[in-house]
Amino acid sequence: MPAAAVTVRAPAKVNLQLAVGPARPDGFHSLVTVYHAVSLFDDVTVVPATRTSIKVRGEDAATVPADHTNLAWQAALALAASAGLPDRDAAVHIDIRKRIPAAAGLAGGSADAAATLVACNELWQAGLTPAELAELGARLGSDVPFALAGGTAVGRGRGEELTTALVSGSYHWALAFSATGLSTPQVYATCDRLRAARAADTGGASPAAEPELSAALMTALRSGDATAVGPRLSNDLQPAALSLQPDLRRTLAAGREFGALGALVSGSGPTCAFLAKSPAHAREIAVSLTGAGVCRAVARASGPVPGAAVVPRGAPS
Ligand code: C5P
């Protein structure tokens, strides 16, 4: 690896709660969510170059754009502009090693953007503070500030306004990946459509209620008791994801049958997340899901884990 290379590792997230309110005038939905960073990571390495380029390797690499439309590329541009770097000094080669599937509801693109912000800040010794990085990140995507922060946090606004959540213990997950991705805007639009149809059926046209944080979930998370957390997991986007990928019902049912304490679609999906009693139980669920043939692939992960952070040189990959 070149002497000046910087590698940053950033985590995937699952949403322990995703309460979606009405669409705002800017098209985003107001929401309250409980983000939870899990131990499934993308690694982003940046190296000085004569012009900016990007290479994507690993999980779903073929479906991720390797050009200026990649959020990581935009993150490098945003950081250079914010640091006042002249163009000739701001070119980097961005190498993304993906383990987080794309279009999966796990915020993999946001993780890559967050990792690139941290990596370029280090490479260029730009000196932006965590708050400044979060502000830049929020302009790139709603989930980017959380990928920088990690841990477990409540997100408000469109997801970018974070407050740390008090959580005890570690939570163990089996993740079931779907054969095809879902487009986040399409899932939100489907959510609106399903709500409008339901309102029409019941004779009312009232707008969606303002989202509220689940006090019961927060109490369960403070207790550190996964059996109390499981039944309190919730996702308002789940009906929309299930209507777009009806097979996910089978995946969720299989995980529950294999003893998951809680089962839900992560974010806008289609990844299904299953809360387990222990790492061994997460492995059992993952093996059983594979045997049942209800998903493309499985992974195990635990959380909470830290947000985007520089990988020390010589650390195992
Ligand atoms: O912020 P991000 O770029 O990840 O959002 C992707 C898309 O998801 C938005 O363009 C919008 O359609 C939808 N979205 C939303 N409300 C949010 C977050 C995302 O409608 N709070």
Side-chain angles (χ1 to χ4, degrees):
M1 190 182 293
V6 176
T7 298
V8 170
R9 174 164 288 189
K13 59 81 185 160
V14 295
N15 302 79
L16 307 181
Q17 181 192 4
L18 181 47
V20 177
R24 313 189 309 194
D26 64 3
F28 286 90
H29 292 69
S30 62
L31 54 82
V32 173
T33 188
V34 180
Y35 288 113
H36 182 68
V38 295
S39 58
L40 177 69
F41 301 99
D42 280 359
D43 289 344
V44 175
T45 300
V46 295
V47 189
T50 45
R51 58 191 186 86
T52 296
S53 59
I54 195 160
K55 181 173 167 61
V56 186
R57 298 181 287 152
E59 185 79 25
D60 282 348
T63 68
V64 178
D67 58 24
H68 68 281
T69 63
N70 191 303
L71 216 50
W73 186 307
Q74 290 170 29
L77 290 180
L79 192 91
S82 178
L85 240 67
D87 281 355
R88 67 172 186 284
D89 296 335
V92 275
H93 176 66
I94 304 167
D95 183 290
I96 304 180
R97 180 171 167 202
K98 290 201 69 63
R99 297 184 194 84
I100 309 171
L106 297 167
S110 301
D112 300 344
T116 306
L117 287 175
V118 173
C120 289
N121 196 34
E122 178 77 14
L123 182 71
W124 296 327
Q125 293 290 298
L128 269 71
T129 63
E132 288 168 333
L133 290 179
E135 200 192 310
L136 270 190
R139 283 188 237 149
L140 295 165
S142 309
D143 295 337
V144 180
F146 178 70
L148 289 163
T152 305
V154 177
R156 290 192 168 81
R158 56 183 170 86
E160 84 287 20
E161 296 167 17
L162 297 179
T163 46
T164 304
L166 268 182
V167 174
S168 305
S170 258
Y171 297 87
H172 307 286
W173 300 89
L175 303 174
F177 304 142
S178 175
T180 45
L182 278 174
S183 138
T184 303
Q186 197 190 354
V187 175
Y188 274 98
T190 304
C191 175
D192 289 342
R193 228 180 1 258
L194 292 175
R195 285 176 167 177
R198 204 172 48 228
D201 278 353
T202 53
S206 53
E210 281 304 322
E212 276 180 35
L213 183 63
S214 161
L217 173 66
M218 299 314 284
T219 304
L221 285 170
R222 274 196 298 276
S223 77
D225 177 5
T227 55
V229 171
R232 293 179 170 88
L233 300 170
S234 67
N235 180 0
D236 284 356
L237 290 181
Q238 186 161 307
L242 294 181
S243 91
L244 291 165
Q245 286 198 15
D247 283 354
L248 296 178
R249 287 177 206 282
R250 277 179 59 222
T251 315
L252 289 171
R256 286 192 198 102
E257 200 177 303
F258 300 137
L261 302 173
L264 86 172
V265 169
S266 177
S268 55
T271 301
C272 294
F274 300 96
L275 183 59
K277 294 173 201 152
S278 64
H281 186 216
R283 183 197 306 267
E284 269 173 42
I285 295 173
V287 168
S288 302
L289 289 167
T290 305
V294 291
C295 52
R296 172 180 64 81
V298 291
R300 286 174 295 125
S302 58
V305 296
V310 174
V311 178
R313 280 181 169 274
S317 62

